[in-house]
Amino acid sequence: MTLDADINLFLLLDGAKLDAPRITYQHDDAPWADWLYRGTRHEAALAVSPYLVLPSAGSRLWEQQSAWAEGGILIRAKAGPEVLVEHLRSLISVRMPSGQLSYCRFYVGTHLDRFFQVLTEAERNLFSGPIVEWRNPRADACWQTITTSGVAEAKHSENEGWFQLSEPQIEAMNGTQGQSFLARLRSYLDLDEQRESQARLQRLVREAEEKGFHSERDIVRYAELALYHPQGLHSQACQVLLDDNAMTNFEKLDQLDRQLAQGGAA
């Protein structure tokens, strides 16, 4: 695959969907590869971490696209792997209008497309840093290529949360979720289609958003906790935890889950 001399072509795999190391080393004898969560505060979730790969010159990965296309995207960047992986680590979370951090699933094609739809061209360039192109390898995907300038400053993992979203952008992204997300959430929570259940579902989603949870994954986890632990979740101890802006949404939900499972309002 021919590239400009100063541009590298990377593969970013969704570790929650694929056995990324197995696929990588099965089809490449000498790749550069690393987990995005490695060395960060998210390392406890390394098993589901995104996985960045710079294939070797003789890589067979390009010939085996069917093995990773469902859970991978291609990235062209004016950067080496050490610089790019640090920049991507800085994007693991973005900052909400409330000041809280929320996971940004830029490594999932459908999420990246929806996310970029609410950004201006200048914001897409800033977010992308040294990346000049994001590419979806699936032939049936709703988008194929997102091109950026590749000249913005590359960030470091220590800067995680530097990218800020506005309230209108959050509302626009939530609007793209629409009824399909509510239908999936209703099915997951095993709620019927009666009016009372619909109102309850909308109340759970609104409550999650008021607490600073905006990604689909965070809303699903919060709604599940609120549905099955309504009294515990609204205890003073849980509310103090929810209002702690020093924690990421993942950390909050993880701690809430453990606390409520133990009986947890204390």
Side-chain angles (χ1 to χ4, degrees):
M1 201 168 285
T2 304
L3 294 175
D4 296 340
D6 63 338
I7 294 180
N8 288 311
L9 180 61
F10 297 86
L11 186 56
L12 184 58
L13 302 175
D14 183 355
K17 193 169 186 179
L18 301 172
D19 186 345
R22 182 188 63 78
I23 291 172
T24 299
Y25 285 94
Q26 183 178 8
H27 303 297
D28 196 319
D29 300 325
W32 181 99
D34 201 358
W35 300 102
L36 260 60
Y37 290 177
R38 188 183 63 79
T40 73
R41 57 182 170 176
H42 312 284
E43 191 155 9
L46 203 64
V48 295
S49 168
Y51 193 68
L52 182 66
V53 180
L54 177 60
S56 66
S59 179
R60 300 177 299 280
L61 280 166
W62 309 125
E63 303 164 10
Q64 300 296 327
Q65 184 169 310
S66 60
W68 51 263
E70 288 294 321
I73 59 175
L74 297 168
I75 292 177
R76 296 175 65 235
K78 295 179 180 179
E82 292 82 3
V83 171
L84 182 61
V85 76
E86 283 296 310
H87 181 71
L88 294 177
R89 284 169 177 156
S90 81
L91 304 176
I92 292 172
S93 299
V94 294
R95 195 165 299 277
M96 297 291 106
S98 64
Q100 295 176 323
L101 296 179
S102 180
Y103 271 102
C104 180
R105 301 182 68 198
F106 57 85
Y107 48 89
V108 178
T110 52
H111 291 263
L112 179 67
D113 181 47
R114 185 167 66 232
F115 181 74
F116 272 14
Q117 283 180 26
V118 305
L119 303 184
T120 64
E121 181 179 358
E123 288 170 332
R124 287 194 294 271
N125 290 335
L126 187 65
F127 181 88
S128 299
I131 297 170
V132 298
E133 184 180 87
W134 306 79
R135 190 186 306 168
N136 195 329
R138 291 180 53 183
D140 61 344
C142 60
W143 67 278
Q144 295 296 326
T145 302
I146 298 171
T147 304
T148 56
S149 67
V151 299
E153 177 189 4
K155 302 293 185 180
H156 192 272
S157 57
E158 295 174 354
N159 304 125
E160 182 187 349
W162 64 272
F163 194 84
Q164 174 90 39
L165 290 175
S166 67
E167 199 62 54
Q169 288 171 328
I170 295 296
E171 291 174 359
M173 279 192 290
N174 288 342
T176 63
Q177 293 177 22
Q179 293 303 312
S180 63
F181 170 62
L182 291 177
R184 293 197 306 275
L185 180 59
R186 184 182 67 244
S187 176
Y188 178 78
L189 297 177
D190 199 25
L191 295 175
D192 57 40
E193 298 185 28
Q194 298 300 314
R195 180 176 299 178
E196 294 80 5
S197 296
Q198 294 280 43
R200 188 181 189 186
L201 187 65
Q202 291 173 348
R203 187 167 60 251
L204 290 172
V205 172
R206 184 167 59 251
E207 188 177 305
E209 292 174 344
E210 288 172 353
K211 290 298 182 182
F213 300 109
H214 296 285
S215 72
E216 288 188 0
R217 180 168 64 176
D218 288 347
I219 291 173
V220 169
R221 287 193 70 189
Y222 180 89
E224 186 174 26
L225 292 173
L227 184 65
Y228 296 112
H229 303 279
Q231 294 183 334
L233 189 61
H234 291 91
S235 69
Q236 183 177 0
C238 288
Q239 291 302 304
V240 168
L241 194 158
L242 284 165
D243 292 334
D244 185 352
N245 288 336
M247 301 175 69
T248 66
N249 283 345
F250 177 85
E251 291 167 335
K252 288 182 184 181
L253 291 166
D254 210 37
Q255 191 164 326
L256 279 171
D257 201 355
R258 290 197 300 269
Q259 187 167 309
L260 290 167
Q262 293 169 1

